[in-house]
């Protein structure tokens, strides 16, 4: 129970990318590493673009959920609260930008590292770097927005 | 055999998002509608963010593969060639930007519409709109780049 996603309230823990209750999804796990956040994910062989390389949509998805998780953790940290305290912080994506720099090898773990660039009211801007096989293959910027109350009500 | 993706050469038809040979993937199909391109995709219930809403990473993935397909089709059209002629055009994503405007309902088809904004050498810029349930829920911009020869060689 150390990852940010382990503390998402049950009603908002169904996301395909990061919900621990979504049995079909990626179930990514993100943790602090000093001032950075880290997610490590090993793709399945079918999550490819061409044989040997990871699918760009997967990279975008990992950046997306890594960043909303980072945004939540950053808000807890700013308030000096631990992740298991209420009310819970949970974020959605306002915008996502990915620059694909190089092909991402599929035959090993992909590491996403994030940094909080700015916290402004209900918005958090997170910058990420994607590494695989020792090389930086993509960069991302996400504007994460605190989730409206209605989102978890269904 | 009317969709752009039906004409991708076998060695580059394994993409999780758009490869017809990827049995586990989305297998999106994109066609011309006048000067626009259209993809319609109905999500699975597990491809959610919260119950009732589609996962943002799915939206990003659909925009991504829709746009690389549009880029290829636009090049064929520019050359006055049909999709089944050689050499084949196939594109990868240089950059992807998604603005999430509203939640995307998951209980029906999602429609992605694309327009070619610019063709410049090996680069094609594609702008997309995502609609679901009669409302525009997201917008995307992809810079697609003609695939290096080495990509399909593995």
């Amino acid at each position: 129970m150390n990852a940010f996603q382990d503390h998402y309230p049950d009603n908002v823990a169904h996301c395909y990318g990061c919900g621990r209750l979504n049995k079909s999804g990626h179930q990514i796990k993100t943790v602090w590493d000093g001032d950075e956040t880290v997610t490590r994910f090993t793709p399945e062989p079918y999550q490819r673009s061409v044989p040997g390389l990871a699918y760009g949509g997967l990279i975008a998805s990992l950046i997306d959920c890594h960043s909303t998780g980072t945004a939540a953790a950053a808000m807890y940290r700013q308030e000096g609260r631990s992740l298991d305290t209420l009310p819970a912080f949970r974020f959605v994506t306002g915008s996502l930008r990915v620059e694909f720099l190089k092909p991402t090898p599929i035959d090993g773990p992909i590491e996403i590292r994030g940094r909080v660039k700015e916290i402004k009211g209900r918005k958090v801007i997170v910058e990420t770097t994607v590494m695989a096989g020792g090389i930086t293959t993509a960069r991302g910027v996400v504007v994460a927005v605190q989730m409206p109350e209605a989102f978890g009500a269904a």
Side-chain angles (χ1 to χ4, degrees), chain A residues 4 12 57 62 70 76 84 88-89 96 103 107 112 116 124 130 139 152:
Chain A
F4 307 159
V12 287
L62 297 175
T70 295
Y76 282 106
D84 54 0
F89 283 114
L96 164 70
D107 58 348
I112 298 104
V116 176
V124 179
V130 178
R139 294 190 196 281

Side-chain angles (χ1 to χ4, degrees), chain A residues 64-154:
Chain A
D64 186 349
C65 285
H66 170 96
S67 299
T68 54
T70 295
M75 291 295 275
Y76 282 106
R77 202 174 244 201
Q78 180 176 263
E79 294 201 351
R81 290 168 47 198
S82 65
L83 297 169
D84 54 0
T85 58
L86 294 172
F89 283 114
R90 188 79 167 85
F91 281 72
V92 294
T93 306
S95 70
L96 164 70
R97 180 169 181 84
V98 183
E99 305 280 340
F100 296 93
L101 307 172
K102 293 182 182 181
T104 301
I106 200 170
D107 58 348
I110 296 172
E111 183 175 285
I112 298 104
R113 287 195 164 260
R115 276 191 173 270
V116 176
K117 190 184 176 195
E118 189 180 348
I119 300 178
K120 195 175 178 181
R122 294 174 66 88
K123 281 189 187 177
V124 179
I125 301 175
V126 180
E127 294 181 333
T128 48
T129 300
V130 178
M131 294 194 71
I135 52 171
T136 299
T137 64
R139 294 190 196 281
V141 181
V142 165
V143 178
V145 183
Q146 222 176 307
M147 187 180 278
E149 292 296 321
F151 265 48

Side-chain angles (χ1 to χ4, degrees), chain A residues 4-28:
Chain A
F4 307 159
Q5 294 84 3
D6 292 333
H7 298 280
Y8 289 168
D10 284 358
N11 63 333
V12 287
H14 294 277
C15 175
Y16 185 85
C18 55
R20 70 180 178 281
L21 302 179
N22 192 325
K23 301 297 180 199
S24 307
H26 301 324
Q27 297 197 337
I28 69 162

